[in-house]
Amino acid sequence: MELKPEKTRLTHTLHPELSEDGKAGFDFLGHHIRQYPAGKYQSDRNSQGRILGFDTLITPSLKASKAHQEEIGRLIRKHRCAPQAALIKHLNPVIRGWASYYTNSDAQSVGELSKQDNLVYLKRNCSTRAKKGGISRESLLNRLISRQALTLASINN
């Protein structure tokens, strides 16, 4: 096995000034691994129970988050004229797969999953408002809620 010098760099996960490029942490398989300084009560401990002074976080990398958002945007644009059920049917596997890939990381604790959820909501909401002719949010919600109520009533009867 041979290491390529252009892809190899020495990095420090806690102090950026000790890294070759001045950045702390590194990206690996879509994860960003970095250590952050932590106080006495928030810090990790070693095997002997001593305080280390830092907390290690493994989060989705910025590149992976951006690629996921671009994929969501592409699906929303592709199914712009389709009904909401068809759009949701195509979005669910992508969102579920991305979330399950980052299940064992700190994505939940740093708020990355809720950020992604909010961005999906905003893109879908923007697409829906454009499709419905720029009507107000309240009017759109009233329409959707009344249609869902009618659908539920017809299913229950």
Side-chain angles (χ1 to χ4, degrees):
M1 183 165 79
E2 206 174 299
L3 296 177
K4 294 190 177 191
E6 62 271 2
K7 293 184 177 182
T8 306
R9 67 182 177 101
L10 292 176
T11 183
H12 197 278
T13 55
L14 183 59
H15 301 293
E17 63 272 4
L18 298 176
S19 295
E20 286 180 350
D21 60 355
K23 298 177 186 174
F26 59 94
D27 291 343
F28 183 70
L29 296 177
H31 291 85
H32 183 72
I33 298 143
R34 181 164 180 208
Q35 294 173 331
Y36 295 91
K40 179 178 176 182
Y41 298 106
Q42 299 293 321
S43 178
D44 289 337
R45 296 178 183 268
N46 66 6
S47 59
Q48 288 82 31
R50 292 191 189 130
I51 297 172
L52 295 174
F54 59 84
D55 191 18
T56 304
L57 291 180
I58 301 171
T59 58
S61 66
L62 293 176
K63 186 177 176 182
S65 296
K66 188 172 182 175
H68 176 65
Q69 279 304 309
E70 288 173 358
E71 175 69 13
I72 295 292
R74 187 188 64 74
L75 282 172
I76 290 174
R77 280 190 303 277
K78 182 178 178 183
H79 299 285
R80 182 177 290 152
C81 297
Q84 289 288 327
L87 174 63
I88 291 170
K89 179 183 170 188
H90 287 91
L91 284 176
N92 270 343
V94 174
I95 295 170
R96 192 176 296 129
W98 195 84
S100 67
Y101 183 72
Y102 292 105
T103 298
N104 296 324
S105 71
D106 295 310
Q108 181 73 37
S109 61
V110 297
E112 182 64 31
L113 295 180
S114 55
K115 176 185 164 191
Q116 292 289 331
D117 181 43
N118 186 43
L119 290 172
V120 169
Y121 167 76
L122 291 174
K123 284 186 178 192
R124 192 181 57 81
N125 188 26
C126 182
S127 171
T128 304
R129 290 173 86 187
K131 187 162 87 171
K132 298 294 182 184
I135 63 175
S136 71
R137 183 175 148 185
E138 292 80 18
S139 176
L140 181 62
L141 285 174
N142 288 336
R143 272 193 207 176
L144 292 174
I145 289 170
S146 65
R147 284 184 189 164
Q148 288 175 352
L150 288 173
T151 305
L152 289 174
S154 63
I155 291 173
N156 291 334
N157 289 336

